[in-house]
Amino acid sequence: MYSTILLAYDGSIEGRLALREGAQLAQICGARVVLLAVVEPVFDPYLAGEVGAYSQRETAGDLKKILDEGRERLSRMGLSAEVRLEMGPAAERITFVAQEILADLVVVGHHKQGMMARWLRGSVTTSLSDSLNCSLLVARLEITDDDLFKAAETNSSNQ
């Protein structure tokens, strides 16, 4: 069904849920897995006075640790993932990488935000659903580590 799955991962609870769902699908489908984290620039008017400047919420070093954690979680499930770190707006970079790797499925976590925050910042999920040429899974299913690794063991013994 899916041959290449892109897992957008930020280390958050929602990101971990997405990683788990995407990993289970990758096991079932025998899919190639690409793990992606995006360093997003954030406009900060205090950095450069009246002109403003762009800073980053997370540094590349922070996200490397997050990616290492994600890679380790996937490895414990018997999955080998290509790891990517991109810089720029999240929806734009996720779409770019999905097209570049010919992803069949992109998996993201759902970050709840209020109406005002959504209006001010926009929704990455909405942007992705408009820009991707493949399927998009917005993960919300809670899966415990025990259930996750039981599923991994069951899948590997059935193959």
Side-chain angles (χ1 to χ4, degrees), residues 28-88:
I28 292 165
C29 299
R32 169 185 172 214
V33 176
V34 177
L35 183 64
L36 170 68
V38 178
V39 178
E40 272 195 284
V42 178
F43 183 72
D44 189 344
Y46 300 107
L47 286 178
E50 293 178 23
V51 177
Y54 285 89
S55 66
Q56 296 168 344
R57 283 189 198 122
E58 303 92 359
T59 65
D62 294 336
L63 283 176
K64 182 174 179 341
K65 289 177 189 171
I66 289 169
L67 283 170
D68 288 343
E69 173 201 319
R71 180 187 301 164
E72 173 60 30
R73 286 176 173 269
L74 292 170
S75 178
R76 284 187 288 174
M77 292 185 67
L79 295 169
S80 175
E82 175 188 333
V83 177
R84 303 262 312 245
L85 178 62
E86 295 281 326
M87 296 189 162

Side-chain angles (χ1 to χ4, degrees), residues 3-25:
S3 60
T4 303
I5 298 175
L6 176 62
L7 302 175
Y9 186 61
D10 62 4
S12 66
I13 292 170
E14 297 86 357
R16 288 182 176 129
L17 293 175
L19 184 85
R20 289 173 175 181
E21 280 194 60
Q24 282 190 320
L25 280 170

